[in-house]
Amino acid sequence: MAAPIRLLTALVPALFATQSIAALFPRSNETTHLAALEACNQLEGLLGSPLVQSSGPSYETAATNAWNLQNSEYQPTCVVFPTTSDHVQVAMKAIYDARSQYAVQAGSHSAMKGWNTVQDGVLIIFSNMRNATYDPVKDSIVLQPGVHWHDAVTALEPFGVAPVGGRVGDVGTGLLLGGGLSWLSPSQGYAADTFKELDVVLVTGELVTATATNEYSDLFRALKGGGNRFGIVTRYELSPVHTGTKDNKTWFGGMMIFNSSAEALLNATARYVREVDDPKAVILVSLINIVVGEDLVPFYLVTPFYNGPSLPDDIFGDFLSIPAVSSTLGPMSYFNVAGTLGLGNDRGYVQHFGASALLGDEDLFLDAFNHWMDFSVAYKDNFNTTTLAFTPVPNSQIQAGRAKGGNIINPPSGGFAAVQIYEQFKAGITDIPQDVQGGIDVLFDQIPPSPGLPLYLNECDSRQKVFESYGDYELLKQIYAKYDPSRFNVEHSQGPVGL
Ligand SMILES: Cc1cc2nc3c(=O)[nH]c(=O)nc-3n(C[C@H](O)[C@H](O)[C@H](O)COP(=O)(O)OP(=O)(O)OC[C@H]3O[C@@H](n4cnc5c(N)ncnc54)[C@H](O)[C@@H]3O)c2cc1C
């Protein structure tokens, strides 16, 4: 979704200078502060500079790196820049021993306030662990946690392979821990379903390697949807998809832009979600309002792709029959597909996500749209853009995940749409105003998930009960209790609720 956002933010003038929000962070209690200082002092002794920084240019860059402006205003007590798993072990043990608050940051794209940074605590940032490699003998991709999807896809393309990763280039590997919705998902499952082996630093600092069959197979499963709650992953070994190189134009698709026809697009999307179950087909439908003065300007972006020579009419015909204002449809390599939405690396705005999940039903889709429009109109003065996006999760994706051993999200069989509700706030707004927060809460009540469907962790509001919506919630809780019996993570790190 980021390419349109970058495009859109260019259209929207910066109305306000960013004001200091130091006042938003009153000194947390003294114990927290002292614990963080103790951890940082110990780490400065054990790892030294430049791996540990409490001020200076590297510190400032790291502390202000987050995509969501809210997360770039925190001031961690120190930042750790590991280059090896050992460094992460040392950091985690010091954090654990000192009972310090902490956070982990990979690609920085979490929209949830506080999930990838920390005030009065230790931030572990993976900006110095960014390799993506392919081992043809094992037929494995290995990613270090700091790599961004554009860089991973670019590094691996010459080998004719790609990871099942994000649809926007600047996003990082945190995507994997929330599940991961990819252009390759209909045939491969959630991105996390492609895990082969994970190196994980547990809260105590112990390093374990988890696979589907070893003694850590429960942890392995929990990491396919458990977010940042189950340990710090320092190495991802993934099954590749043999997508070919840039020269292999085996896909067809691109970007279609509409400036009207919302109802026709919603009907086409609902039908697609209900009926299409072809693992070669994938689509993202984003209905966007750009706020220009007093007006909401519709900018509807549809990106259909098919792993074949054309877009089959019985799958995409409804979309193709709606008049578009522009279209880039044509033959593509997977490399082109992965680059369609651009990098999405625009920063400097408060960003807010929320999630729902709907069965493919025209009335449900129209109802969601109408509520979202009412919300967008009511609070438009706050926004650059509002977005209602639908990612179909076809049955083929769910079954592909099960065939690979299953994940902790464990959706019911049958297709549904992951629904993302997203607002980008105007420049100068540094936190979500209370009245808008109230409007968001009402909107969530108005667009509830269809019964039994999981919410998507990577597109949720931090207060939404995502874990509770998982098919394997009870198992998730058991696994958490086993690996973190003192509940250190939930008490010392922001992240999903419900454990
Ligand atoms: C512009 C944009 C486009 C997006 N497109 C997609 C998409 O196509 N498909 C999709 O599925 N999602 C998408 N998302 C959502 C995305 O998956 C989440 O924002 C995801 O959390 C981003 O991961 P990150 O590494 O960039 O972010 P970060 O904020 O660095 O990390 C996200 C979370 O994971 C934790 N974490 C990260 N690395 C580790 C680690 N190694 N060990 C333990 N915890 C860790 C962090 O603490 C944080 O809580 C998009 C988001 C944005 C903003």
Side-chain angles (χ1 to χ4, degrees):
M1 254 139 295
I5 290 153
R6 200 162 39 139
L7 209 97
L8 305 180
T9 48
L11 299 173
V12 182
L15 295 178
F16 305 95
T18 303
Q19 65 193 45
S20 160
I21 67 159
L24 294 176
F25 299 109
R27 171 69 65 216
S28 56
N29 73 52
E30 199 57 15
T31 318
T32 306
H33 181 57
L34 291 175
L37 277 181
E38 185 185 329
C40 288
N41 283 339
Q42 212 196 354
L43 285 170
E44 273 157 21
L46 290 168
L47 298 175
S49 176
L51 296 181
V52 183
Q53 304 275 330
S54 302
S55 61
S58 306
Y59 170 92
E60 289 301 331
T61 303
T64 59
N65 176 58
W67 176 73
N68 178 1
L69 178 67
Q70 290 171 302
N71 287 337
S72 69
E73 303 282 355
Y74 288 64
Q75 293 170 329
T77 307
C78 63
V79 180
V80 180
F81 300 84
T83 60
T84 66
S85 297
D86 291 358
H87 296 153
V88 179
Q89 284 189 268
V90 171
M92 197 61 236
K93 184 165 183 343
I95 290 164
Y96 186 76
D97 289 348
R99 318 300 291 171
S100 171
Q101 299 290 313
Y102 73 106
V104 177
Q105 189 175 122
S108 88
H109 274 262
S110 182
M112 301 53 147
K113 186 175 173 181
W115 283 22
N116 63 10
T117 189
V118 61
Q119 185 72 16
D120 280 333
V122 181
L123 173 63
I124 299 173
I125 191 162
F126 280 114
S127 48
N128 289 338
M129 291 177 74
R130 300 173 77 136
N131 288 341
T133 53
Y134 174 61
D135 179 341
V137 177
K138 289 175 84 178
D139 194 27
S140 284
I141 287 172
V142 173
L143 301 182
Q144 288 190 312
V147 74
H148 298 247
W149 293 112
H150 168 77
D151 298 331
V153 169
T154 303
L156 297 166
E157 175 274 334
F159 302 98
V161 296
V164 178
R167 296 167 292 188
V168 173
D170 193 53
V171 174
T173 57
L175 171 144
L176 295 166
L177 300 175
L181 296 170
S182 170
W183 300 124
L184 297 166
S185 284
S187 62
Q188 308 297 326
Y190 286 93
D193 288 319
T194 65
F195 288 168
K196 287 175 97 170
E197 199 173 278
L198 302 171
D199 287 351
V200 191
V201 175
L202 304 177
V203 278
T204 52
E206 184 189 355
L207 176 69
V208 303
T209 298
T211 72
T213 51
N214 74 4
E215 61 184 302
Y216 302 109
S217 59
D218 50 359
L219 177 65
F220 184 76
R221 189 182 181 101
L223 285 161
K224 300 186 201 177
N228 65 352
R229 290 294 185 209
F230 289 81
I232 304 176
V233 180
T234 57
R235 176 179 160 275
Y236 297 91
E237 186 177 330
L238 309 173
S239 292
V241 183
H242 290 262
T243 47
T245 67
K246 280 178 186 168
D247 299 329
N248 301 118
K249 308 265 182 202
T250 53
W251 289 69
F252 194 97
M255 199 185 268
M256 301 170 76
I257 294 171
F258 305 83
N259 60 5
S260 62
S261 314
E263 192 165 347
L265 288 167
L266 289 161
N267 287 341
T269 311
R271 191 193 72 82
Y272 184 104
V273 169
R274 188 175 58 248
E275 293 178 10
V276 174
D277 192 26
D278 182 335
K280 293 179 174 176
V282 67
I283 196 167
L284 171 63
V285 178
S286 302
L287 305 182
I288 301 168
N289 286 311
I290 310 170
V291 183
V292 181
E294 288 300 302
D295 298 325
L296 297 184
V297 178
F299 181 93
Y300 302 151
L301 180 73
V302 178
T303 43
F305 299 104
Y306 194 72
N307 190 358
S310 62
L311 292 177
D313 206 50
D314 59 332
I315 294 177
F316 298 103
D318 288 355
F319 292 99
L320 299 173
S321 66
I322 303 168
V325 290
S326 81
S327 164
T328 65
L329 302 180
M332 309 178 94
S333 64
Y334 181 71
F335 185 80
N336 301 141
V337 172
T340 299
L341 291 180
L343 289 179
N345 55 358
D346 54 329
R347 281 173 166 67
Y349 305 98
V350 169
Q351 317 272 5
H352 176 261
F353 285 176
S356 188
L358 296 177
L359 291 172
D361 175 313
E362 284 79 352
D363 291 341
L364 283 178
F365 278 47
L366 188 58
D367 196 50
F369 175 80
N370 286 333
H371 288 306
W372 168 75
M373 278 303 295
D374 290 346
F375 164 82
S376 302
V377 169
Y379 299 101
K380 66 176 186 298
D381 293 347
N382 296 275
F383 304 134
N384 286 335
T385 57
T386 63
T387 301
L388 183 68
F390 300 90
T391 298
V393 177
N395 192 44
S396 62
Q397 172 174 336
I398 296 162
Q399 301 312 329
R402 290 200 184 134
K404 292 181 169 102
N407 54 60
I408 208 77
I409 304 167
N410 198 8
S413 294
F416 67 97
V419 180
Q420 185 191 27
I421 303 159
Y422 162 40
E423 303 85 45
Q424 183 188 84
F425 288 73
K426 283 193 191 304
I429 294 180
T430 53
D431 212 349
I432 300 179
Q434 224 174 356
D435 61 328
V436 183
Q437 193 68 70
I440 288 169
D441 292 344
V442 171
L443 185 62
F444 288 166
D445 287 344
Q446 290 168 332
I447 313 180
S450 303
L453 293 182
L455 295 175
Y456 184 39
L457 183 66
N458 289 342
E459 294 179 347
C460 74
D461 178 295
S462 57
R463 298 159 308 150
Q464 288 187 295
K465 295 176 176 165
V466 174
F467 285 161
E468 277 184 34
S469 73
Y470 283 5
D472 282 345
Y473 178 47
E474 291 306 317
L475 181 61
L476 188 78
K477 284 193 287 190
Q478 287 166 23
I479 300 170
Y480 181 71
K482 177 176 165 189
Y483 284 93
D484 188 7
S486 70
R487 303 182 56 73
F488 186 80
N489 175 281
V490 294
E491 286 169 12
H492 295 85
S493 205
Q494 299 292 308
V497 293
L499 292 177

